[in-house]
Amino acid sequence: GRFTPSPEAPKLSKAAHFAKPVPIIARFSLGGGNPSAPDNVKGNVRGLAVRFDLGDGASTDLVMISAPMFFAPTPALFVEFLQAVGSGDKARLDAFLAAHPEATRQGAWLDSHPVPASYAGVSYWGVHAFTFTNAAGDTALIKYKAIPRAGELGLTDAEAAAKGADFYEAEMKDRLGNGPVAFDLVAIRGRDGDRTADPTLRWEDEDGREITPLGTISVEQIAPDATCDAFSFLPGNVADGIAGPADDPIFQIRSADYLVSFLRRKQAQ
């Protein structure tokens, strides 16, 4: 597909993809490590990752999920949570969540919203706080959000059950047959005193914040699976003019963690 920046974007950041339209590769996904995870359950985030082609072999990534918060505030709890989930022991997972209520915020958000009817019909958030720097050296604190042009498309519990466990891929193929799938990428504007160290927490009145349009993400056709299987989308792969939060320990380890996962998958093939 293609990303087309808004006129406001270069006023916030000098990043190359905010200066002119660029090609993109976008990947829709379900969170977690289970390739057979069902499409019709609430408790799993949907993902939208975008690689922006900056030319001459350079790129930058944006990794977003369908909840405005992450599930763990530290690398140690990240690992402990995954071990609890991977054990298949419900009592162990319940004990972890009871001991770490911060890890329940994402799940509570997902449970309070309907199952998305389409990858194209749900909002996605970047969860971390980023600092933009423009050509004049001015800085701005932001969080990313991608808003679906199709609107928020949700299913009732009965509708989700009737869809079955595997419907997103076919739905997306049908949808793209009628034209591009588009999202409005916006910057939720930060304020002095906003916390940047804990991605399980939202900013105060985050939904009521000023937003600045950054551009349009337009997904136009389905690429072969090998296109996305050839690399990993990395939250820390940011362009000049964009900086991740230095005090957020989850942001600092996500890219390295995803590279390990990517290499293990490649070795297993």
Side-chain angles (χ1 to χ4, degrees), residues 29-253:
S29 63
L30 288 174
N34 179 8
S36 301
D39 294 346
N40 62 343
V41 299
K42 289 184 179 180
N44 203 350
V45 292
R46 280 67 182 167
L48 170 58
V50 183
R51 172 153 291 187
F52 303 83
D53 183 352
L54 305 182
D56 297 325
S59 66
T60 185
D61 296 337
L62 176 55
V63 180
M64 298 177 286
I65 58 174
S66 61
M69 71 288 289
F70 203 64
F71 63 85
T74 67
L77 289 179
F78 187 120
V79 172
E80 190 175 343
F81 175 83
L82 294 181
Q83 289 173 335
V85 171
S87 72
D89 184 340
K90 184 177 184 301
R92 179 178 175 182
L93 178 59
D94 289 345
F96 174 86
L97 295 175
H100 303 286
E102 65 272 28
T104 67
R105 293 169 184 149
Q106 186 186 94
W109 169 276
L110 295 170
D111 287 341
S112 68
H113 290 74
V115 172
S118 169
Y119 280 132
V122 63
S123 292
Y124 298 90
W125 287 262
V127 303
H128 302 287
F130 291 82
T131 299
F132 281 3
T133 304
N134 65 17
D138 302 319
T139 62
L141 186 67
I142 70 98
K143 286 186 178 181
Y144 288 106
K145 182 180 181 181
I147 303 169
R149 289 273 180 91
E152 297 282 348
L153 307 176
L155 300 170
T156 66
D157 290 349
E159 288 170 336
K163 285 283 188 182
D166 186 14
F167 66 92
Y168 279 144
E169 184 175 357
E171 195 280 339
M172 182 61 70
K173 288 180 179 178
D174 289 344
R175 185 175 292 272
L176 285 171
N178 295 316
V181 167
F183 295 84
D184 293 315
L185 184 65
V186 303
I188 302 171
R189 302 299 294 271
R191 300 172 184 160
D192 289 343
D194 281 339
R195 291 171 293 191
T196 61
D198 186 349
T200 71
L201 293 173
R202 304 192 72 192
W203 287 338
E204 182 180 359
D205 188 34
E206 188 172 305
D207 290 329
R209 294 289 183 98
E210 173 190 358
I211 62 172
T212 298
L214 296 176
T216 302
I217 296 168
S218 178
V219 179
E220 297 164 359
Q221 60 183 358
I222 294 176
D225 288 346
T227 303
C228 281
D229 291 344
F231 63 90
S232 185
F233 295 85
L234 304 176
N237 179 25
V238 295
D240 184 29
I242 302 173
D247 60 350
D248 181 344
I250 289 293
F251 179 80
Q252 299 304 317
I253 63 95

